[in-house]
Amino acid sequence: MKYHQVLVVGGGLAGMRAAVACNRRNIKVGLLSKIHPVRSHSTSAQGGINAAMNNHVRGKHDDVMRHAFDTIKGSDYLADQDAVVKFTADAPHRIIEMENWGVPFSRNEEGKIAQRPFGGAGFPRTCYAADRTGMYLIQTLWEQVCKYTEASMREEMVIYDEWVCLKIIVEKNKAVGVVAWNLAEGKLEIFKADAIIMGTGGIGRIYSNTSNALTNTGMGMALAYWAGVPLKDMEFVQFHPTTLKGNNCLMTEGCRGEGGYLLNDKGERFLANYPDSSVAMEIAPRDIVSRNITREVMAGRGINGQDYVYLDLRHLGAEKIMTRLPGIRDLAMNFVGVDPITQPVPIQPGHHYTMGGIDVNENAATPVEGLYAAGECACVSVHGANRLGGNSLLETIVFGAIAGESAVKYIEDGGKTGDVSKTLEKGKKEVEDKILSIFESKGDEDPSLIREELQKVMAEKVGVFRNEKDLKAAHTKVQELRDRYKKIKIMNTSGLKFNQDLMWNMELEGDLDIAETIVAGALNRKESRGSQSRTDFPVRDDKNWLHHSTFTYTPKGAKLGKKKVTLGYFKPKERTY
Ligand SMILES: Cc1cc2nc3c(=O)[nH]c(=O)nc-3n(C[C@H](O)[C@H](O)[C@H](O)COP(=O)(O)OP(=O)(O)OC[C@H]3O[C@@H](n4cnc5c(N)ncnc54)[C@H](O)[C@@H]3O)c2cc1C
């Protein structure tokens, strides 16, 4: 059995930032990640990270309350306003901290950190390092992590990479440890901890048309859900307007921030024809732009009548494209054979982000004692029903640090896991039994088909526009797939050493349970708000639905509940841009 004061599950930006916060206060940390930390999905973030850095446009200064207002309006008033104010107020300081640690942010003529316009923001507020912001952030945080590891002759932090967490163990509503699988050695191991921080990221691979990495499965969120922590606001799923046609690789919002146009088959900048985007045009928020692209396609004005439109960057010129958007150019050339300097890029909305997640408060604490969560797997909520571009990277470093500090405070105040060896051993036995039952299964269900059918039904029926008929059909399908999962037969039953077959199929169980919460939530919420657009309930209904949804695990499916939204700074208004 291994022991750390704090165990962080997830080596992305949120997990690493939380771990560093603990180490800086002399708390010993284990950092567990199923892939090497620098390979986490955070590394593929392109466009940038928001903060009100006192930027000024036409004599007006940006400030943290403007950032808070834009975030709350962007959320369609479902974000908790006190948490948003805390979030935006902390932002400039966190950017400077990352800059001091070494992130090479792009600069303006004055030599200050440059900021580009992003969707739904009243100011150019998105700091960036060309179009590889996530990669620079993650490499920089990794250097900070290395300062505390054995490699630097210190032993405050131990990294367990290529270890998969399979279970969180809770005793009397207190998180006491996890069971994790060492892929290289093919062994299961118990980790005891005084506090646990989850930073397992998004769950995009539930959809076939996602911009997310292969590693972004439902299991991370499901671990907390299965351990009795409610999930929150799962129906709110973000579709990014500009992903490459066919494979859904992301074309950052920075393309539009730098001045890119969206064109239909007639060559029109069609966003002008819709009242909710006619002023902001290409830099209206993602939910609105995704819907208006989909409307163009449904009206037959996609390119050649097909399911995509053009992102046109040609007028920006070669120099701007090469300096500000070099990665985008590479992606477009490599994946669809189009050079944005000379040709328009075919794009379509694709699944991108989950606003919902593990229910935490503004201190990153879940309702289970000693258990914290931060980053995309958590729902504070600062994004409400629709996240603004650039606010997610910010969430990882702001709430990652807060999660770490909360865990430190919990331990300093006496939070400690006592002798729980029986509970820990029992947890491990349950995981062993589950694996054995998969190995010895007499079933005949092919799990890869279950995954494919799940991804397809989510993309087709739980997408940009939703309605009761499709959602009911999707719910029935997901429940059918959950039943079929009980009879899966995997191919590799040779043991645990790098058994990827077993790993993907254990993750699939998480995908199915998380998908069920998304569909159940979408079906339950009879209104349109932010990313949830119900064609049968097209209007936002503050009287009945201005509250968070909660989801508690039961073997039959999620038990739904609700939770108050904290208002107090800005009154809900109609949202136009
Ligand atoms: C293509 C793309 C571009 C983006 N661009 C931007 C942008 O420009 N600006 C912005 O604000 N946001 C952007 N986002 C969103 C943002 O990047 C993510 O929301 C954020 O980086 C998530 O960070 P994270 O630390 O929460 O998770 P991740 O970086 O996804 O890390 C998750 C970690 O958890 C580990 N893990 C998961 N499950 C387990 C398990 N069971 N056991 C052990 N380890 C586990 C993984 O190994 C990984 O280390 C983008 C997202 C994508 C997909």
Side-chain angles (χ1 to χ4, degrees):
M1 184 185 313
K2 298 186 185 296
Y3 165 72
H4 295 278
Q5 285 177 293
V6 174
L7 182 73
V8 178
V9 181
L13 283 173
M16 286 206 280
R17 187 62 191 82
V20 167
C22 295
N23 276 166
R24 294 179 108 198
R25 302 273 296 277
N26 299 320
I27 294 283
K28 296 209 184 323
V29 179
L31 179 68
L32 194 137
S33 180
K34 66 182 180 183
I35 48 173
H36 189 281
V38 302
R39 297 186 61 216
S40 303
H41 186 63
S42 292
T43 222
S44 42
Q46 303 168 348
I49 176 164
N50 295 343
M53 306 294 283
N54 201 21
N55 195 352
H56 52 90
V57 176
R58 288 186 290 278
K60 273 194 190 163
H61 279 259
D62 196 8
D63 65 42
V64 296
M65 285 315 282
R66 287 182 203 273
H67 185 184
F69 171 71
D70 289 341
T71 301
I72 290 163
K73 179 179 172 191
S75 82
D76 223 347
Y77 297 92
L78 198 76
D80 286 327
Q81 300 194 0
D82 52 346
V84 174
V85 170
K86 180 172 178 174
F87 173 58
T88 60
D90 206 20
H93 153 71
R94 294 291 169 207
I95 298 290
I96 303 279
E97 182 178 67
M98 290 303 303
E99 200 263 354
N100 290 348
W101 281 344
V103 174
F105 284 113
S106 297
R107 302 281 157 173
N108 63 17
E109 294 83 50
E110 295 170 73
K112 294 183 176 159
I113 293 175
Q115 294 188 282
R116 57 169 52 129
F118 247 47
F123 271 80
R125 186 182 291 137
T126 305
C127 311
Y128 57 96
D131 57 358
R132 298 189 175 110
T133 315
M135 187 193 76
Y136 290 119
L137 288 170
I138 212 150
Q139 296 288 341
T140 304
L141 257 181
W142 174 244
E143 286 169 14
Q144 292 301 312
V145 162
C146 288
K147 280 201 328 206
Y148 297 99
T149 59
E150 228 181 344
S152 62
M153 317 294 275
R154 293 163 73 164
E155 286 176 13
E156 282 100 336
M157 175 132 47
V158 183
I159 313 279
Y160 300 91
D161 67 280
E162 302 198 322
W163 283 66
V164 192
C165 178
L166 296 176
K167 188 181 180 69
I168 302 174
I169 302 173
V170 174
E171 186 181 281
K172 298 193 188 117
N173 201 43
K174 149 120 184 74
V176 294
V178 309
V179 180
W181 170 12
N182 177 346
L183 288 174
E185 288 186 17
K187 279 194 197 137
L188 294 182
E189 188 105 43
I190 295 172
F191 285 74
K192 179 177 161 182
D194 298 327
I196 298 172
I197 301 174
M198 301 301 287
T200 53
I203 51 120
R205 286 283 152 178
I206 287 176
Y207 282 81
S208 58
N209 57 343
T210 182
S211 67
N212 284 197
L214 280 172
T215 47
N216 288 6
T217 68
M219 186 155 83
M221 278 183 201
L223 290 172
Y225 181 50
W226 292 331
V229 185
L231 303 180
K232 192 162 74 195
D233 293 342
M234 294 302 289
E235 62 271 39
F236 297 106
V237 173
Q238 178 162 83
F239 293 84
H240 196 292
T242 58
T243 70
L244 281 180
K245 169 191 168 331
N247 60 34
N248 304 104
C249 278
L250 191 73
M251 296 282 103
T252 172
E253 192 157 307
C255 296
R256 285 169 288 135
E258 295 292 349
Y261 296 152
L262 290 177
L263 305 177
N264 64 13
D265 195 42
K266 295 168 155 178
E268 285 172 339
R269 286 177 71 194
F270 55 87
L271 292 171
N273 304 334
Y274 295 93
D276 53 0
S277 60
S278 59
V279 178
M281 296 292 287
E282 279 81 1
I283 52 169
R286 292 176 178 177
D287 55 338
I288 292 177
V289 180
S290 290
R291 277 196 287 277
N292 292 343
I293 293 174
T294 309
R295 288 186 175 113
E296 285 298 294
V297 165
M298 287 183 337
R301 291 189 293 271
I303 307 301
N304 300 322
Q306 293 186 44
D307 61 348
Y308 65 96
V309 296
Y310 279 143
L311 169 66
D312 194 354
L313 304 177
R314 289 173 294 184
H315 56 285
L316 302 183
E319 197 195 325
K320 198 168 193 182
I321 294 176
M322 307 275 265
T323 53
R324 299 278 176 90
L325 302 165
I328 288 303
R329 182 171 180 243
D330 282 351
L331 283 173
M333 293 203 300
N334 290 334
F335 285 97
V336 288
V338 162
D339 182 349
I341 295 178
T342 53
Q343 296 160 284
V345 185
I347 57 91
Q348 58 192 181
H351 169 280
H352 185 57
Y353 184 84
T354 320
M355 269 71 74
I358 303 168
D359 181 19
V360 293
N361 64 17
E362 74 283 5
N363 297 321
T366 72
V368 169
E369 195 188 323
L371 185 64
Y372 302 84
E376 192 170 336
C377 72
C379 177
V380 178
S381 148
V382 290
H383 309 305
N386 172 62
R387 167 177 77 88
L388 294 187
N391 267 353
S392 173
L393 286 179
L394 181 64
E395 180 186 21
T396 64
I397 57 169
V398 168
F399 286 101
I402 290 174
E405 282 151 17
S406 294
V408 170
K409 182 165 186 313
Y410 171 72
I411 290 169
E412 286 177 351
D413 289 350
K416 187 146 183 67
T417 297
D419 180 10
V420 287
S421 14
K422 273 202 189 127
T423 311
L424 294 172
E425 288 297 343
K426 186 168 157 268
K428 184 174 174 218
K429 175 84 177 31
E430 281 167 15
V431 176
E432 283 165 351
D433 288 350
K434 189 182 212 172
I435 292 175
L436 202 65
S437 75
I438 296 179
F439 279 169
E440 291 179 348
S441 164
K442 300 262 183 302
D444 56 1
E445 285 288 348
D446 176 350
S448 65
L449 290 181
I450 296 182
R451 182 179 300 105
E452 250 177 63
E453 289 174 39
L454 174 72
Q455 291 173 332
K456 185 161 176 279
V457 75
M458 293 303 285
E460 284 176 0
K461 299 205 182 321
V462 200
V464 173
F465 289 110
R466 301 162 173 191
N467 63 65
E468 184 169 285
K469 186 167 157 266
D470 282 354
L471 291 171
K472 277 193 168 154
H475 198 253
T476 308
K477 181 73 187 179
V478 173
Q479 293 291 32
E480 173 211 309
L481 296 174
R482 290 176 80 230
D483 284 340
R484 279 167 54 193
Y485 179 83
K486 292 176 193 143
K487 290 172 257 157
I488 55 165
K489 178 92 193 151
I490 69 167
M491 284 192 285
N492 182 354
T493 55
S494 65
L496 291 181
K497 232 180 220 186
F498 276 116
N499 188 339
Q500 299 287 342
D501 191 21
L502 177 66
M503 179 173 139
W504 285 119
N505 292 316
M506 291 189 82
E507 302 222 34
L508 178 59
E509 189 180 11
D511 291 345
L512 289 163
D513 283 3
I514 293 301
E516 197 271 332
T517 64
I518 295 174
V519 187
L523 195 52
N524 182 52
R525 185 173 283 273
K526 294 186 176 47
E527 65 156 354
S528 290
R529 180 186 298 273
S531 66
Q532 152 103 339
S533 188
R534 290 274 309 247
T535 50
D536 42 357
F537 297 97
V539 181
R540 191 178 87 196
D541 174 0
D542 286 343
K543 194 161 154 264
N544 295 305
W545 291 101
L546 184 53
H547 58 70
H548 300 292
S549 311
T550 58
F551 303 81
T552 310
Y553 176 77
T554 81
K556 282 194 189 141
K559 186 166 152 272
L560 270 70
K562 47 175 141 167
K563 208 168 169 178
K564 217 172 123 250
V565 172
T566 310
L567 302 172
Y569 287 91
F570 303 103
K571 271 214 176 97
K573 282 198 293 205
E574 197 197 341
R575 230 174 122 232
T576 52
Y577 290 90

